[in-house]
Amino acid sequence: EVQLVQSGAEVKKSGESLKISCKGSGYRFTAYWIGWVRQMPGKGLEWMGIIYPGDSDTRYSPSFQGQVTISADKSISTAYLQWSSLKASDTAMYYCARLKSSNYPRGNWFDPWGQGTLVTVSS
Amino acid sequence: QSVLTQSPSASGTPGQRVSISCSGSSSNIGSNTVNWYQQLPGAAPKLLIYGNNQRPSGVPDRFSGSKSGTSASLAISGLQSEDEADYFCAAWDDSLNGPLFGGGTKLTVL
């Protein structure tokens, strides 16, 4: 079974650093892009960025470029999302998801998704 | 970050057919396939439809998707109480070089 298992909920203070993880299993981890998606309380889904664990090629949404760092350790099939200095506005649920692609018709979609990591930042 | 446009809410009674629409532009829905995700209360999103109209294994055929030009829709027939959830459309955006999501539609089963 293809699975993504994320690290547990975090409670942090503004200014602190944080790294959350997403461990893949049941498939060749290095062969698929992994994406990170933010969902703020009561809001919709926002794409943050993607990483290809095979060579760590990483792409960020312009909205998140410079705000977070996405990385991966292919030796342990794990992707990471990290912040160097959290803000209260980073309070949200964060999901990782595997990206699948089709050339014809052209498209990409996320499947499966991790269970989510709730990050709460107090000021 | 721009989003695809969805109505914020929809509703129906058990057994009814409901439709949820999603509007985009030439750089996303117009150029790439549309996907739909279902998010049950308190749960992670789950892929419901990919490639405009393909259902992953395990998704009932009550759920169907379609696309025309820069718009798409999700139809749910034989509505059931367990279909009460948030539904998000999504499509790759060639300008963003990443996925764009709709704002989500909250479906209420009356």
Side-chain angles (χ1 to χ4, degrees):
Chain A
E1 179 196 6
V2 176
Q3 254 191 132
L4 294 173
V5 178
Q6 298 185 228
S7 49
E10 301 275 0
V11 179
K12 292 288 195 179
K13 290 183 166 51
S14 289
E16 291 185 332
S17 63
L18 175 64
K19 191 173 189 178
I20 62 175
S21 66
C22 167
K23 183 172 175 62
S25 63
Y27 73 101
R28 193 154 62 100
F29 187 73
T30 52
Y32 293 87
W33 293 81
I34 291 280
W36 286 96
V37 175
R38 182 175 79 174
Q39 187 170 37
M40 299 179 79
K43 301 297 184 184
L45 305 172
E46 301 172 271
W47 171 63
M48 302 176 72
I50 51 174
I51 186 165
Y52 190 73
D55 61 6
S56 290
D57 185 10
T58 307
R59 300 171 192 179
Y60 294 93
S61 161
S63 300
F64 292 92
Q65 178 84 48
Q67 308 304 307
V68 296
T69 301
I70 294 171
S71 60
D73 184 341
K74 61 184 179 183
S75 70
I76 54 171
S77 301
T78 301
Y80 301 97
L81 176 66
Q82 70 179 89
W83 296 260
S84 58
S85 180
L86 286 160
K87 302 185 280 285
S89 57
D90 292 318
T91 294
M93 183 72 84
Y94 293 87
Y95 295 102
C96 65
R98 184 182 70 165
L99 188 69
K100 295 197 76 177
S101 299
S102 168
N103 288 327
Y104 187 80
R106 194 159 68 106
N108 302 277
W109 59 94
F110 285 123
D111 182 51
W113 293 62
Q115 83 277 19
T117 296
L118 180 62
V119 175
T120 304
V121 184
S122 62
S123 49
Chain B
Q1 191 171 122
S2 302
V3 299
L4 305 177
T5 302
Q6 295 181 241
S7 297
S9 63
S11 63
T13 56
Q16 233 182 355
R17 182 181 189 275
V18 298
S19 186
I20 296 170
S21 63
C22 174
S23 177
S25 68
S26 58
S27 65
N28 41 70
I29 293 179
S31 308
N32 296 282
T33 59
V34 177
N35 316 303
W36 292 90
Y37 300 94
Q38 177 193 57
Q39 187 174 33
L40 295 170
K46 170 192 148 187
L47 180 68
L48 196 64
I49 297 285
Y50 68 97
N52 298 329
N53 54 20
Q54 302 299 301
R55 284 186 307 277
S57 172
V59 173
D61 59 7
R62 301 187 295 105
F63 295 90
S64 61
S66 63
K67 173 184 133 174
S68 178
T70 58
S71 294
S73 63
L74 171 72
I76 309 171
S77 60
L79 199 60
Q80 298 180 4
S81 58
E82 56 259 40
D83 298 334
E84 192 160 280
D86 292 323
Y87 293 85
F88 296 91
C89 63
W92 197 263
D93 188 278
D94 292 336
S95 300
L96 181 64
N97 198 20
L100 264 186
F101 291 97
T105 297
K106 184 174 185 63
L107 175 64
T108 301
V109 181
L110 302 168

